[in-house]
Amino acid sequence: MSSRKPLIAGNWKMHGTIAETEERIAQMLPRIATSEHVDHAICVPFTALQAAVDSARGSLLNVYAQNMHEGENGAFTGEISAGMLTEIDVQGVLLGHSERRSLFGETDKALKLKVPAALNAGLQVILCVGETEDERENGDTERRLRHQVQEGLEKVPAERLGELVIAYEPVWAIGTGRVATPEQAQDALAFVRALVADRDKAAAEQVRVLYGGSMKPDNAAELLALPDCDGGLIGGASLDVDQIIAIVDACTR
Ligand code: 13P
């Protein structure tokens, strides 16, 4: 039995005014107050971060950003640095989400710098990886995952690898209702962990690997029970408090 504590992280994407954020957090907090067996996070839009941090202060809920720049400051219009996030007590950051990769040109080369920059600033990191439908059909899933994990982790020292969270999110399962089968998910999650073991065996036992992609209350228990699944990264269902709480409750490890 693994000693890794499960993490249930909601990725709100571009949803949530400040008022909506405060209201959703107020509904969540009493319902997670005794769920200490799980780590809880929400990844909210930049404009709602401060309100989310203030609303969640002193609770079990951690607040993450959805992206950040690798530099400390500079001529990078529209970007936010790790220090700007920690200044307002944001606890973590989602990096390399497939929507950032496919729609906004996020590259493994940039992630190679973003991951250590976030860790050095004291942020918890969720690095997202995952193959497209074409890559899976062409037998390229492992090659894609290897590339994303190796590059993203390249500049992280071995002794810090275990702090990372890596979310395996097959692109074809995101927002589609087409969830990976338990076999597909377990194979990929174990493969991601094995890639970490190639760098450091002890870190591979500590690193948390999440599944993401159409995780819902009705499929969460089966996915969360997989040997290499240490939690979920949840999009659509995280916007509905009843659904995200049902997923937390499905987390029995
Ligand atoms: P859905 O849960 O809506 O499929 O989104 C998954 C996701 O992209 C989380 O980052």
Side-chain angles (χ1 to χ4, degrees):
M1 178 59 101
S2 146
S3 60
R4 297 181 296 269
K5 188 171 181 181
L7 169 63
I8 299 294
N11 176 10
W12 289 8
K13 308 192 179 186
M14 198 173 74
H15 296 282
T17 62
I18 289 174
E20 287 164 349
T21 299
E22 289 170 341
E23 188 184 335
R24 196 174 297 129
I25 292 174
Q27 289 171 8
M28 284 178 75
L29 292 188
R31 301 181 66 181
I32 63 167
T34 56
S35 299
E36 278 163 358
H37 63 298
V38 175
D39 280 339
H40 305 267
I42 48 171
C43 311
V44 307
F46 284 131
T47 50
L49 282 171
Q50 179 77 71
V53 165
D54 290 341
S55 300
R57 212 179 288 281
S59 76
L60 294 181
L61 185 63
N62 289 322
V63 175
Y64 287 25
Q66 298 175 6
N67 184 30
M68 100 190 183
H69 190 273
E70 63 272 24
E72 283 177 27
N73 47 50
F76 303 110
T77 302
E79 292 291 320
I80 301 273
S81 70
M84 293 169 183
L85 298 175
T86 56
E87 183 184 24
I88 59 166
D89 295 336
V90 167
Q91 287 127 324
V93 63
L94 196 60
L95 292 174
H97 190 276
S98 75
E99 286 149 18
R100 300 259 11 124
R101 294 175 187 264
S102 66
L103 302 173
F104 304 105
E106 181 75 284
T107 62
D108 289 315
K109 199 162 157 246
L111 290 163
K112 193 189 296 192
L113 302 175
K114 289 186 180 196
V115 173
L119 285 177
N120 288 340
L123 291 167
Q124 174 76 60
V125 173
I126 303 178
L127 172 67
C128 302
V129 299
E131 81 288 359
T132 63
E133 181 153 39
D134 278 356
E135 286 164 339
R136 176 162 284 273
E137 281 174 2
N138 294 331
D140 276 341
T141 298
E142 293 197 348
R143 195 164 62 91
R144 183 76 178 128
L145 295 177
R146 182 180 298 112
H147 191 78
Q148 291 175 327
V149 172
Q150 286 180 345
E151 281 226 54
L153 273 46
E154 189 177 313
K155 291 186 184 297
V156 178
E159 65 272 16
R160 297 207 66 181
L161 283 173
E163 297 170 38
L164 286 174
V165 178
I166 303 176
Y168 166 64
E169 298 204 296
V171 176
W172 47 271
I174 294 178
T176 59
R178 274 180 62 201
V179 68
T181 66
E183 293 74 23
Q184 288 171 327
Q186 170 56 25
D187 284 354
L189 295 164
F191 183 70
V192 167
R193 193 179 307 285
L195 291 168
V196 179
D198 288 344
R199 283 280 313 279
D200 189 278
K201 286 207 163 40
E205 287 303 310
Q206 292 165 2
V207 76
R208 288 184 288 182
V209 189
L210 313 184
Y211 171 81
S214 296
M215 188 183 272
K216 307 284 178 200
D218 63 356
N219 59 33
E222 194 174 30
L223 291 161
L224 293 169
L226 296 171
D228 281 288
C229 187
D230 303 315
L233 181 58
I234 298 113
S238 73
L239 297 171
D240 180 311
V241 175
D242 287 339
Q243 289 194 41
I244 194 70
I245 297 302
I247 293 172
V248 169
D249 290 345
C251 210
T252 51
R253 186 197 280 172

